[in-house]
Amino acid sequence: MPTTPQTTDELYQALQENDQRPYGRTRTVTAEELVDAAEQFDEPVPLIHALLELQEAYTYGSEPRKSPVVFARLLTLFDEQPDVFDERLRHLLFWRFKWVAHALRQLPEIPLASLRQWLTEMRDRYEQAGLGLQPYYGQAYQLAAHVGEDTTAAYELWAARTRTRLSDCEACETCQRALYHLAAGDDERALRAWEPVLAGKESCQEEPARSVSHALLPLLRTGRADRARELHLAGYRGCRRNPSMAAEVGRHLEFCALTGNEARGLELLAENRGLFDEVDSPSDQLDFLTGVEVLLQRVESLGHGALPAAGYAGRTWTVAGLRAEVRDRADDLAARFDARNGTPAHTERRRARLDRAPLLDALELTLRPRALDELAPAAPAAAPTARTAAAVPESLPELVVRARELDELGHPDARACWDRLRTLVAARDHTHPDDPAVGPPARLRADLLDEEASRAGEKDEYADAAALHEEAAGLYEDAGRPGDAAISRAGALLATAELPALGDGAAQAKAAALTAAHASIVRLHEETPGLTPYQEARLLRLRVTALALRLQTTGDEDHVAPVLAEADLLHAFAERHDITGQVSGALLLRVSTFAISGDLPAALTEIDALLDRLKARGPAWHLPRTLGLRGRIQLGLRDARAAHADLSEALRLAADWPADAIDTGRLHGDLAEAAMHLGRPEEALRHLTRSAELELRRGSRTDAYCAYSNAAQLSLDLGRVEDCIALLDSLLAEPDVAAGELDDRLVAQLRLTRARALHAGEDLKAATAEFVALAAESAGWDDDPGSHAMIAAETAVLLGESGEFDRAREAADQALAAHARDPRHELLSNCLRELARLQAQQQGPDGLAGARAFLADAGRVADEARAAGYEAQGRPLDTALAYEHGRVSAYAGAYEESLAALDRALALLGEPGNDGDRAGEWAECVRLAGAVEGIYLERPAPALTRLDAAISRLTALGHADETEALTALASRLRDEE
């Protein structure tokens, strides 16, 4: 707390501010400080308020030991000065008898007799105050259920009584009734009781999160897996990282363990690692730890006990080690509760959870399903199961010869041979074979370095690739292999030219580097003696690749012919020497050149000829890549159906080759685009998530996150809000994201989509907090003020929805300042008009001045747009603004001004035509004008004339739907006459 309140007004303000904070140590410590501050005042009421805030902080901050102590002070104040407790304070006091009963149940060190004594105290106090006893019987039932006694009588005594003002909220009582039926083994009846809460019709501070966590397994047992999945995603978000809901988190972990989602369970456990040390309630600890143990037990039984797991602070844990620790602690807690209660209930309930068998082999919970194998350090990318891996020779000399043969062919199986060789050569007992076919050690080391350089280049790690190529070239020279040295040196030249250039002239600089690299490779080609046909073809391929990359960089049509000329040289040479792979490569480069230059019909003609050749003469492993390119060409030609067919066939054929031989991530990404064009968004979503997963396995994390970002946006567009949030929560928890190693703009995009999803999911508080943070960060994006304008504008609207119009004004001003540097006319106009509407709607006449200030800004934006010749994609800015003036004035009760503004809007719109959107906007203006005139200004006759004329006009134009609201309003006005 920055400063200690010196007056009661300052104290109440501080209490109000603390009430807005999330439960946890910060709020609790501040509440403790505010109690100390309140004690300086002579009057008791401020202290009562401060104590009530402190008890709430302890209760929802999972510190049950401290809650009864605070309540004892409150009760003493009530007994000594009952008159200072007004009706509200008195209600809160008697309500919190239940909080104390709940806190005492959570503490095994409190004797059972003391619990019963407290309930007696509660009953006596309620009777003395003339209050109904239903809340007391509710606590008596909950104690019986906790202890493990026969609850039948206690349940009936509570459930049969009429609710009172001090009864638990309906959502909490619904949960208790459902749990009673669940304990009796009646899943169906429990779920029927729960339905109002699960459907969102009843809620409170703890609900529906608590009920959801209990309902997950009954839903699975009754065959409602989809509903369980949906509720898990929404329910988990409502309780994660919350110490007072640790038990609920434990049940979500258990749900993951019993549905084949062990990897997600470990991910959620890592997100909630703070709960191991932050939960002070032994009861909540027991429930949480039991859920954790169910998960860890399952993971260990699947053979993954050595996986890392998030656990207690101060040491590193494996699954097996953490499970042993959790088991001991949870067993001890259960034994302590059973000793206090005199029953084995807690141990038996714990054992029942641990003995449950999985309810489903696999339930896909999120858009990012993961297996435990993927969590292992440096887990290799799994190869498609459709293909049996090629046999790798056991003998090292045979293996070397085989690797070189396959490498010359460009065969995908070469990589497995190189991997095996790399392992053998790195072994401590390795001895280089004395075999002429193998050659000297320098040649083998060079082979391995050159192959490693190629892999680095595939990952766009050009600096590493260049260095490795250069080192390999030196070793080839030492081994007397000048041709191989030339190829490696050419590879280094090309990799160096591909290093990213910075600044405004980056494209030109890179083009110049590629031109120079091409010239150097030509010289190497010409000056290196004794080249074999294979080596010469490789150099020709590098020459044409340099020019193709230059064309790709510049898009300059003058760069097309040189590429085609070099490709033809390669093609002729490869045909002459029957180097099939290079023939195919040359033809594929021609296709790409036509595609890049924009001549898609020519590219299609060439690629069709290439496909015929590949099917007849091979190599077969070029077919998936070639079909993939044909699919992209078809997308460019807007033939999505043909593109989808080509890409699907490419994906099918790719399964015949090693996982890293074909860029299947790209194929899935292109299939997603084709599926979207075909109106199949759910299929597109599957391909996007698969593409992202494959890119992650390849180590292309930026490409993977971009694909996941697109998947998240698509899931949000499809209304799958919880899927979107769960996916983004998973991504944002990744170590490289948390460590700031990923591009900050890409992370900001992920967070922005998440904030929009939170808003769509009606979590306004969380959405606003994220938007505010993003607006603050994007204010520093001097190179991208347009994005800051967008984020600040959305932030302003959310603040307006929350009723914080001063902060909304500040955010809107930020958006306007950024808009001045990079105009976003329609975005800003929409934002300002919406803020005006919100302020007038929420504040009425008191908000009119502020609302009109927003509209004045919107007017200036519309003037700027008109001067710049800007045309809005949606509603014209001027007519939309005139309509909003009318609506805002109506909300504020300025009806004459409202009607005048709406008439101006109608004049700007003109008469409706055949366009449905324009007719709808016109009809809405007429409707609002008719309502203002006929209802609020009490002039029904002219209003009806207006409405009847509009109905006739719209009907004549065939806009029947647009007349419905007008007809209903006209009928109402006639009825009221």
Side-chain angles (χ1 to χ4, degrees):
M1 188 168 60
T3 58
T4 301
Q6 299 301 312
T7 66
T8 56
D9 286 344
E10 290 178 1
L11 177 73
Y12 288 133
Q13 178 64 32
L15 286 169
Q16 187 175 1
E17 291 173 359
N18 201 41
D19 188 56
Q20 299 302 310
R21 293 188 176 98
Y23 296 109
R25 287 305 303 159
T26 300
R27 176 167 177 168
T28 300
V29 169
T30 303
E32 290 170 340
E33 293 171 348
L34 290 174
V35 168
D36 292 339
E39 289 177 330
Q40 69 180 303
F41 303 115
D42 292 334
E43 51 186 310
V45 174
L47 178 60
I48 293 169
H49 282 281
L51 288 169
L52 288 168
E53 164 62 22
L54 180 57
Q55 189 190 14
E56 182 176 344
Y58 285 147
T59 298
Y60 290 108
S62 191
E63 296 189 63
R65 289 180 173 86
K66 298 178 181 179
S67 173
V69 177
V70 177
F71 188 75
R73 291 190 64 184
L74 283 165
L75 203 54
T76 298
L77 284 167
F78 178 73
D79 289 339
E80 292 173 350
Q81 303 178 70
D83 293 342
V84 302
F85 283 75
D86 60 19
E87 183 61 30
R88 177 178 173 276
L89 293 177
R90 184 174 178 275
H91 177 83
L92 287 174
L93 180 84
F94 280 95
W95 182 277
R96 294 189 180 189
F97 272 89
K98 298 178 295 180
W99 285 14
V100 175
H102 176 69
L104 297 177
R105 285 198 302 273
Q106 294 182 79
L107 305 172
E109 63 267 29
I110 304 298
L112 184 59
S114 296
L115 270 66
R116 299 194 191 283
Q117 183 179 348
W118 178 253
L119 289 184
T120 301
E121 173 80 5
M122 177 181 175
R123 183 189 61 200
D124 292 345
R125 292 269 189 172
Y126 272 50
E127 287 178 335
Q128 290 169 15
L131 300 171
L133 292 182
Q134 194 261 11
Y136 157 76
Y137 283 108
Q139 293 301 312
Y141 159 68
Q142 290 181 44
L143 177 60
H146 167 83
V147 170
E149 299 170 339
D150 183 358
T151 57
T152 305
Y155 178 80
E156 291 301 327
L157 283 170
W158 161 62
R161 274 182 157 73
T162 302
R163 286 172 47 79
T164 74
R165 289 181 62 244
L166 289 168
S167 295
D168 284 345
C169 75
E170 292 193 17
C172 286
E173 290 204 343
T174 293
C175 184
Q176 290 299 330
R177 285 193 293 272
L179 289 175
Y180 174 77
H181 299 310
L182 192 63
D186 194 339
D187 286 346
E188 288 288 358
R189 191 170 180 185
L191 291 170
R192 285 197 300 274
W194 257 319
E195 186 51 35
V197 176
L198 300 183
K201 297 175 182 177
E202 298 173 3
S203 63
C204 69
Q205 178 74 35
E206 297 168 326
E207 295 292 352
R210 181 174 56 180
S211 288
V212 164
S213 72
H214 283 290
L216 294 173
L217 299 188
L219 285 166
L220 290 179
R221 288 193 293 260
T222 56
R224 299 173 174 93
D226 287 344
R227 180 72 166 139
R229 173 189 179 279
E230 171 192 335
L231 288 173
H232 162 68
L233 294 178
Y236 170 70
R237 186 162 56 84
C239 62
R240 65 178 188 160
R241 298 197 298 265
N242 185 343
S244 70
M245 305 207 85
E248 285 73 16
V249 171
R251 285 188 281 273
H252 281 279
L253 297 178
E254 180 178 359
F255 175 74
C256 290
L258 300 181
T259 56
N261 286 279
E262 299 85 6
R264 173 168 169 79
L266 291 177
E267 183 180 296
L268 301 190
L269 179 61
E271 186 178 16
N272 291 278
R273 71 183 69 202
L275 298 185
F276 284 104
D277 303 302
E278 294 172 3
V279 179
D280 190 52
S281 160
S283 177
D284 288 347
Q285 282 182 19
L286 175 58
D287 278 346
F288 172 65
L289 292 178
T290 301
V292 171
E293 188 179 351
V294 171
L295 171 66
L296 298 176
Q297 174 181 271
R298 176 64 179 162
V299 173
E300 191 173 1
S301 73
L302 293 172
H304 292 279
L307 279 176
Y312 295 95
R315 61 166 286 188
T316 301
W317 296 94
T318 63
V319 166
L322 181 60
R323 181 194 170 197
E325 180 73 17
V326 164
R327 179 181 60 236
D328 290 345
R329 295 193 186 211
D331 281 346
D332 177 65
L333 284 169
R336 289 172 61 198
F337 275 110
D338 288 345
R340 189 269 299 274
N341 297 335
T343 68
H346 283 74
T347 297
E348 289 176 354
R349 291 168 190 161
R350 176 171 147 70
R351 178 49 48 197
R353 291 176 70 181
L354 290 168
D355 288 347
R356 282 193 186 110
L359 296 171
L360 291 174
D361 292 333
L363 174 62
E364 189 171 304
L365 291 180
T366 71
L367 295 173
R368 194 188 180 197
R370 305 173 76 188
L372 288 170
D373 289 335
E374 297 175 53
L375 303 184
T385 56
R387 180 180 190 267
T388 302
V392 175
E394 290 294 326
S395 159
L396 193 143
E398 291 178 5
L399 182 58
V400 172
V401 171
R402 181 63 174 156
R404 288 170 180 164
E405 289 174 348
L406 292 173
D407 201 58
E408 285 194 13
L409 293 170
H411 197 290
D413 286 338
R415 182 158 289 187
C417 294
W418 291 123
D419 286 341
R420 177 63 179 155
L421 271 172
R422 193 170 279 108
T423 301
L424 292 174
V425 170
R428 295 182 63 181
D429 59 351
H430 167 69
T431 302
H432 188 76
D434 184 12
D435 188 320
V438 175
R443 182 185 177 188
L444 180 54
R445 290 203 303 274
D447 288 340
L448 293 170
L449 285 170
D450 204 58
E451 197 271 342
E452 187 180 349
S454 297
R455 295 194 192 199
E458 290 171 7
K459 297 178 181 178
D460 299 340
E461 297 168 356
Y462 299 118
D464 291 343
L468 290 165
H469 277 307
E470 281 290 356
E471 188 178 354
L475 289 169
Y476 278 131
E477 287 178 345
D478 294 342
R481 306 283 300 179
D484 291 334
I487 293 171
S488 290
R489 208 146 262 137
L493 287 165
L494 190 57
T496 301
E498 288 200 78
L499 287 169
L502 302 176
D504 295 337
Q508 293 87 341
K510 184 173 181 180
L514 289 164
T515 300
H518 173 261
S520 297
I521 296 170
V522 170
R523 282 196 300 274
L524 266 175
H525 185 186
E526 293 171 347
E527 295 171 1
T528 304
L531 291 169
T532 66
Y534 155 73
Q535 292 168 338
E536 194 161 356
R538 283 283 302 273
L539 287 168
L540 284 167
R541 178 68 173 269
L542 289 166
R543 285 167 54 170
V544 67
T545 300
L547 294 182
L549 288 170
R550 184 181 66 175
L551 171 61
Q552 187 175 334
T553 301
T554 65
D556 188 338
E557 62 181 18
D558 291 339
H559 291 160
V560 174
V563 181
L564 294 175
E566 286 279 35
D568 289 343
L569 277 177
L570 172 61
H571 179 250
F573 183 88
E575 283 278 28
R576 190 161 61 249
H577 293 280
D578 196 25
I579 306 175
T580 306
Q582 294 293 9
V583 171
S584 167
L587 295 173
L588 198 60
L589 281 163
R590 283 182 57 84
V591 173
S592 299
T593 301
F594 284 120
I596 292 170
S597 67
D599 192 350
L600 295 182
L604 188 62
T605 300
E606 293 248 346
I607 204 167
D608 285 344
L610 173 56
L611 283 168
D612 290 341
R613 178 191 171 90
L614 288 173
K615 291 171 184 175
R617 299 173 58 184
W621 58 87
H622 282 197
L623 273 170
R625 182 174 58 176
T626 305
L627 281 165
L629 178 55
R630 188 177 192 276
R632 288 192 289 280
I633 292 169
Q634 296 284 21
L635 282 172
L637 292 168
R638 299 187 178 182
D639 189 345
R641 195 167 300 283
H644 191 278
D646 284 338
L647 292 164
S648 298
E649 178 65 6
L651 200 57
R652 186 186 71 79
L653 293 175
D656 292 336
W657 304 102
D660 53 5
I662 313 295
D663 189 355
T664 48
R666 175 69 182 272
L667 293 175
H668 278 288
D670 292 334
L671 269 167
E673 183 179 349
M676 285 300 293
H677 286 302
L678 293 171
R680 305 201 300 245
E682 292 287 353
E683 179 188 341
L685 187 57
R686 291 194 298 273
H687 284 300
L688 277 173
T689 54
R690 182 61 176 155
S691 173
E693 176 190 345
L694 291 168
E695 295 293 358
L696 270 184
R697 292 184 181 185
R698 290 178 63 232
S700 302
R701 298 189 74 78
T702 297
D703 290 340
Y705 285 119
C706 286
Y708 273 131
S709 177
N710 291 335
Q713 183 60 57
L714 179 54
S715 64
L716 181 56
D717 293 341
L718 290 171
R720 295 174 61 172
V721 173
E722 296 300 338
D723 280 315
C724 175
I725 296 171
L727 172 60
L728 292 168
D729 283 344
S730 174
L731 295 175
L732 292 169
E734 284 286 317
D736 53 350
V737 178
E741 297 169 3
L742 195 67
D743 178 77
D744 62 338
R745 304 298 169 85
L746 178 52
V747 174
Q749 181 59 57
L750 296 173
R751 291 172 57 199
L752 180 61
T753 305
R754 182 178 182 274
R756 288 168 174 163
L758 289 168
H759 187 214
E762 299 181 356
D763 192 344
L764 184 58
K765 185 175 181 180
T768 303
E770 186 67 277
F771 264 110
V772 168
L774 282 167
E777 290 177 27
S778 62
W781 296 353
D782 293 334
D783 60 330
D784 189 9
S787 291
H788 176 55
M790 172 192 68
I791 293 170
E794 290 191 56
T795 302
V797 171
L798 263 70
L799 288 166
E801 289 182 16
S802 302
E804 299 184 60
F805 290 104
D806 289 341
R807 294 178 69 196
R809 178 72 261 180
E810 293 173 5
D813 288 342
Q814 287 184 32
L816 285 165
H819 157 78
R821 296 173 56 202
D822 187 1
R824 294 288 191 272
H825 299 104
E826 189 165 7
L827 172 76
L828 263 294
S829 177
N830 293 344
C831 158
L832 293 163
R833 296 195 320 270
E834 178 64 5
L835 285 169
R837 181 192 70 79
L838 288 167
Q839 188 160 14
Q841 185 179 39
Q842 293 181 26
Q843 297 180 347
D846 293 339
L848 184 57
R852 285 180 171 166
F854 285 127
L855 291 179
D857 287 333
R860 285 187 283 275
V861 170
D863 292 342
E864 294 167 7
R866 196 182 315 107
Y870 174 82
E871 291 189 15
Q873 299 296 308
R875 298 164 64 193
L877 302 189
D878 289 320
T879 57
L881 179 61
Y883 171 81
E884 208 59 66
H885 269 291
R887 183 157 63 168
V888 162
S889 295
Y891 279 135
Y895 300 120
E896 291 289 1
E897 295 174 46
S898 170
L899 187 60
L902 291 167
D903 282 336
R904 284 196 301 274
L906 286 165
L908 288 169
L909 278 169
E911 287 296 307
N914 294 322
D915 182 88
D917 291 338
R918 187 175 178 83
E921 186 179 0
W922 185 83
E924 169 55 21
C925 268
V926 172
R927 184 203 65 78
L928 185 54
V932 169
E933 190 170 29
I935 297 173
Y936 299 107
L937 291 175
E938 299 180 353
R939 298 202 290 261
L944 283 167
T945 300
R946 178 194 300 269
L947 292 168
D948 290 341
I951 291 168
S952 298
R953 178 66 175 148
L954 291 169
T955 301
L957 290 169
H959 299 304
D961 291 343
E962 283 73 13
T963 66
E964 291 181 4
L966 303 182
T967 302
L969 177 58
S971 297
R972 174 183 172 183
L973 292 175
R974 287 192 169 91
D975 289 343
E976 290 177 357
E977 279 187 310

